[in-house]
């Protein structure tokens, strides 16, 4: 649900139409459905303890989830958004190694929302400044720089800072 809320904000900023927004919302709510097909022992391990085989298995969960959703009537568009979840802006992602504008916009939005939500969970003592620094590291590599800029806006507007300065501009 958190990922869906972030994705909705990004879609509204990008002026995504209602039908696409509906598909994006479904995809955001179901983007981890492929984890149901991942063995429990892989899910329980920390990332640095996974073997290469297990890492490959884990990184394929969006594709497996998309394949599962293709079996459900009315979820084709949703499945296509999820399939490209791990495509990286720099072309190093999976499953097809798509780059920048070749990654569908809704997949780029979903990836941004997912990364944002993951980062929030990883930070033990929240600091907006630290959060924005971590988020900026994903710009141009994992995420579309335009999506990162919108995520920064979302962070400032929704993570509780009335007086924080972003790049020298006060936000109130």
């Amino acid at each position: 649900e958190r990922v869906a809320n972030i994705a909705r904000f990004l879609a509204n900023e990008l002026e995504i139409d209602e039908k696409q927004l509906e598909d994006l919302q479904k995809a955001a709510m179901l983007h981890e459905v492929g984890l149901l097909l991942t063995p429990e022992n892989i899910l329980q391990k920390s990332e640095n303890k996974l073997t290469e085989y297990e890492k490959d298995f884990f990184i394929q969960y969006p594709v497996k989830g998309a394949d599962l959703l293709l079996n459900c009537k009315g979820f084709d568009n949703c499945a296509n958004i999820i399939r490209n979840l791990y495509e990286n802006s720099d072309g190093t992602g999976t499953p097809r190694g798509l780059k920048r504008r070749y990654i569908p916009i809704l997949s780029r939005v979903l990836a941004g929302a997912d990364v944002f939500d993951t980062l929030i969970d990883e930070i033990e003592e929240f600091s907006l400044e630290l959060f924005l620094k971590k988020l900026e590291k994903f710009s141009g590599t994992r995420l579309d720089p335009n999506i990162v800029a919108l995520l920064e806006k979302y962070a400032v507007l929704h993570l509780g800072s009335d007086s924080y300065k972003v790049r020298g501009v006060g936000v109130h």
Side-chain angles (χ1 to χ4, degrees):
E1 194 172 319
R2 295 181 314 205
V3 173
N5 289 334
I6 298 164
R8 184 182 314 110
F9 173 84
L10 297 174
N12 288 335
E13 290 292 311
L14 294 167
E15 299 179 356
I16 302 291
D17 69 55
E18 277 302 312
K19 173 60 179 132
Q20 287 183 309
L21 179 59
E22 184 181 318
D23 292 334
L24 178 62
Q25 290 295 121
K26 281 190 224 175
M29 297 295 281
L30 296 169
H31 74 282
E32 292 182 333
V33 72
L35 291 175
L36 295 171
L37 305 171
T38 304
E40 190 69 28
N41 65 324
I42 293 175
L43 294 174
Q44 296 301 323
K45 286 186 178 181
S46 63
E47 188 176 341
N48 58 351
K49 297 203 184 216
L50 292 172
T51 66
E52 287 303 312
Y53 171 77
E54 291 168 334
K55 285 179 188 174
D56 289 343
F57 199 96
F58 181 78
I59 221 153
Q60 288 298 318
Y61 86 80
V63 174
K64 293 179 185 320
D67 290 344
L68 178 66
L69 288 173
L70 284 174
N71 294 311
C72 303
K73 187 176 181 180
F75 285 87
D76 294 358
N77 294 336
C78 177
N80 290 327
I81 296 167
I82 293 171
R83 179 176 306 285
N84 297 305
L85 181 63
Y86 278 169
E87 294 288 0
N88 295 334
S89 187
D90 63 4
T92 61
T94 62
R96 298 182 294 162
L98 299 177
K99 203 173 192 176
R100 292 184 184 90
R101 64 187 171 103
Y102 296 104
I103 303 168
I105 185 67
L106 297 180
S107 295
R108 287 184 269 159
V109 167
L110 181 58
D114 186 43
V115 166
F116 188 99
D117 186 59
T118 301
L119 279 178
I120 288 177
D121 285 346
E122 288 178 356
I123 297 176
E124 291 173 18
E125 191 172 319
F126 187 80
S127 153
L128 186 58
E129 184 176 3
L130 174 64
F131 181 79
L132 292 173
K133 282 182 183 177
K134 286 188 174 230
L135 184 60
E136 191 67 34
K137 291 178 183 176
F138 290 94
S139 183
T141 54
R142 171 75 178 101
L143 301 175
D144 178 330
N146 297 321
I147 300 296
V148 171
L150 292 173
L151 289 169
E152 289 171 342
K153 180 178 178 179
Y154 180 87
V156 171
L157 293 173
H158 293 89
L159 298 181
S161 179
D162 295 333
S163 60
Y164 188 75
K165 291 188 181 251
V166 177
R167 295 186 181 140
V169 178
V171 178
H172 303 283

